[in-house]
Amino acid sequence: MAATCVVGLQWGDEAKGKIVDFLTEKNDIVVRYQGGANAGHTVVFDGKKYKLSLIPSGIFHSHITNVVAGGVVLNPAMFLKEIDGLKEQGISCENMILSDRLHVIMPWHFEEDRLMNETTTGESIGTTMRGIGPCYRDKVGRSWAIRLGDLYRETFAERIRAIVAKKNMILAGMDPEGGAQRLDAEQIISDYLGYAERLKAYVTDTTAFLLDALDAGKNILCEGAQGALLDIDHGTFPYVTSSNSSGVGVCSGAGIPAKAIQKLVGIVKAYNTRVGGGPFPTEQDNEIGQHIRDMGNEYGTVTRRPRRCGWFDAVAARYTARLSGATCLSVMLLDVLSELPEIQICTEYEIDGKRISYFPAHVDDLRKVIPHYITVPGWQQDITGCRKWSELPENARKYVKKLGEIIGVPVEICSVGPDRTQTIFVEE
Ligand code: GDP
Ligand code: IMO
Ligand code: MG
């Protein structure tokens, strides 16, 4: 039995979708196991660009079963819209199953996300406003949670009426000026029963399916959403998402045992980006950051917000690679740095005059960090046409190897453009 995992080691958008699609061929099953429609994964091939949010990036291969597992929070309307959009582009979405255990995003979760985005520390989290945090909060709270399997039970309507009565009181209390939307239980029941009908063919016990698949010797590819620095327990809390988006979340989210994980591919950009609030020690809020944003088209896939850009943070990546159990790395968007004469890599932090090489747990400490860099020469030539390791300029090869050395995990793949074919296996 074997599972390979693709996990972002930064703050998301590391091009996980591209690598999942690239690795899909050698697998039988692709699993999305946490997060929800906050994710935006891009896959490019044959001159076409596909943007996926809830649907696993294995969907373009017909021999694959795509699984949306129990750790995901599902917005049924957005999921159905995504299926319709893909079908219009000629992609069949029949090879997919959904967990009856996964939690469903309800209309109140959007209102709560809007009203609770502010933290008590001033800077807002800057969520994607997709109701992700409130849905996970209700999951942990249990009493008011709706799982996909609940939509098919006789008690569904009665439960919605009871929850809506409570939620209307809470929402009114959260916005005393009367700005909160008033929820209509009957409308919600009717909408969600409609979604349930359309989703019925996909819903099953995916935990049993995956355990049986492992017993049968199938190869499973697990597709992480977000990145390890956004992990609810181990990321830059509270500026994180509400699920375990580092490698530690694979087993709980998918419902597979730790011993099944054979390989974990840590995905990093050749630099760092972040969308939303929170500290970012190597951020370049200057012409370098703007250059990276322009070259990498660094605007959010989901919200189109400009992404904050900065130099590669190897202190953070070393931490997340160790935490996630990365067995190899994939360095993405290398081409974005092609014009720069020199490139910097942060290898050490300084806090209150002390040099440290660990990643601080508290955001107040992270905000104080002075990054220390090494400077390496750039390659200043277009690499988007390179297809083999030997075709890359020497300085580009050295940069990729250097990242692997500092992080302490070998780099197996690097990427020089968005297309499936712009992917290179790293050689000695
Ligand atoms: P994900 O959320 O981790 O799947 O990443 P996103 O899809 O949100 O963001 C990655 C972006 O970079 C997408 O627009 C990809 O098409 C694009 N991309 C992927 N690999 C490369 C690469 O090597 N070079 C360039 N220039 N763009 C890339
Ligand atoms: P993919 O899978 C980048 C960020 C949001 C915000 C924080 C919390 O495409 O890499 P949430 O809506 O999850 O409560 O927002 O997390 N965030 C992402 N940033 N890529 C993502 O997904 C993200 N999903 C959430 O910007 O800062
Ligand atoms: Mg993304």
PDB file of all heavy atoms in Angstrom, residues 12-13 16 39-41 301 307, ligand 3:
ATOM      1  N   GLY A  12       0.751  28.787   0.665  1.00  0.00           N
ATOM      2  CA  GLY A  12      -0.230  28.446  -0.364  1.00  0.00           C
ATOM      3  C   GLY A  12       0.198  28.922  -1.744  1.00  0.00           C
ATOM      4  O   GLY A  12       1.201  29.645  -1.899  1.00  0.00           O
ATOM      5  N   ASP A  13      -0.531  28.463  -2.764  1.00  0.00           N
ATOM      6  CA  ASP A  13      -0.300  28.837  -4.165  1.00  0.00           C
ATOM      7  C   ASP A  13       1.098  28.478  -4.662  1.00  0.00           C
ATOM      8  O   ASP A  13       1.670  29.164  -5.516  1.00  0.00           O
ATOM      9  CB  ASP A  13      -0.541  30.355  -4.367  1.00  0.00           C
ATOM     10  CG  ASP A  13      -1.948  30.733  -3.964  1.00  0.00           C
ATOM     11  OD1 ASP A  13      -2.866  29.933  -4.178  1.00  0.00           O
ATOM     12  OD2 ASP A  13      -2.116  31.847  -3.430  1.00  0.00           O
ATOM     13  N   LYS A  16       0.725  23.587  -6.452  1.00  0.00           N
ATOM     14  CA  LYS A  16       0.437  22.183  -6.097  1.00  0.00           C
ATOM     15  C   LYS A  16      -0.393  21.523  -7.195  1.00  0.00           C
ATOM     16  O   LYS A  16      -0.180  20.369  -7.542  1.00  0.00           O
ATOM     17  CB  LYS A  16      -0.341  22.132  -4.758  1.00  0.00           C
ATOM     18  CG  LYS A  16       0.414  22.742  -3.598  1.00  0.00           C
ATOM     19  CD  LYS A  16      -0.441  22.830  -2.352  1.00  0.00           C
ATOM     20  CE  LYS A  16      -1.560  23.838  -2.437  1.00  0.00           C
ATOM     21  NZ  LYS A  16      -1.140  25.240  -2.507  1.00  0.00           N
ATOM     22  N   ALA A  39      -9.314  27.199  -1.796  1.00  0.00           N
ATOM     23  CA  ALA A  39      -8.213  26.771  -2.661  1.00  0.00           C
ATOM     24  C   ALA A  39      -8.490  27.154  -4.112  1.00  0.00           C
ATOM     25  O   ALA A  39      -9.640  27.156  -4.557  1.00  0.00           O
ATOM     26  CB  ALA A  39      -8.033  25.255  -2.563  1.00  0.00           C
ATOM     27  N   GLY A  40      -7.427  27.467  -4.827  1.00  0.00           N
ATOM     28  CA  GLY A  40      -7.525  27.702  -6.268  1.00  0.00           C
ATOM     29  C   GLY A  40      -6.312  27.056  -6.900  1.00  0.00           C
ATOM     30  O   GLY A  40      -5.203  27.539  -6.728  1.00  0.00           O
ATOM     31  N   HIS A  41      -6.491  25.914  -7.542  1.00  0.00           N
ATOM     32  CA  HIS A  41      -5.374  25.154  -8.110  1.00  0.00           C
ATOM     33  C   HIS A  41      -5.440  25.237  -9.638  1.00  0.00           C
ATOM     34  O   HIS A  41      -6.481  24.968 -10.230  1.00  0.00           O
ATOM     35  CB  HIS A  41      -5.425  23.698  -7.639  1.00  0.00           C
ATOM     36  CG  HIS A  41      -5.245  23.552  -6.157  1.00  0.00           C
ATOM     37  ND1 HIS A  41      -5.227  22.354  -5.509  1.00  0.00           N
ATOM     38  CD2 HIS A  41      -5.046  24.486  -5.186  1.00  0.00           C
ATOM     39  CE1 HIS A  41      -5.030  22.547  -4.212  1.00  0.00           C
ATOM     40  NE2 HIS A  41      -4.936  23.840  -3.992  1.00  0.00           N
ATOM     41  N   THR A 301      -5.713  33.306  -7.207  1.00  0.00           N
ATOM     42  CA  THR A 301      -6.546  32.515  -8.128  1.00  0.00           C
ATOM     43  C   THR A 301      -8.015  32.623  -7.722  1.00  0.00           C
ATOM     44  O   THR A 301      -8.909  32.651  -8.560  1.00  0.00           O
ATOM     45  CB  THR A 301      -6.099  31.028  -8.086  1.00  0.00           C
ATOM     46  OG1 THR A 301      -4.695  30.987  -8.264  1.00  0.00           O
ATOM     47  CG2 THR A 301      -6.751  30.206  -9.161  1.00  0.00           C
ATOM     48  N   ARG A 307      -0.821  39.223  -4.630  1.00  0.00           N
ATOM     49  CA  ARG A 307      -0.113  38.465  -3.590  1.00  0.00           C
ATOM     50  C   ARG A 307       1.098  39.271  -3.132  1.00  0.00           C
ATOM     51  O   ARG A 307       1.749  39.932  -3.946  1.00  0.00           O
ATOM     52  CB  ARG A 307       0.333  37.113  -4.124  1.00  0.00           C
ATOM     53  CG  ARG A 307      -0.832  36.184  -4.455  1.00  0.00           C
ATOM     54  CD  ARG A 307      -0.340  34.865  -5.055  1.00  0.00           C
ATOM     55  NE  ARG A 307      -1.442  34.016  -5.458  1.00  0.00           N
ATOM     56  CZ  ARG A 307      -1.403  33.204  -6.524  1.00  0.00           C
ATOM     57  NH1 ARG A 307      -0.329  33.139  -7.270  1.00  0.00           N
ATOM     58  NH2 ARG A 307      -2.448  32.463  -6.818  1.00  0.00           N
TER      59      ARG A 307
HETATM   60 MG    MG B   3      -3.916  28.558  -5.260  1.00  0.00          MG
END
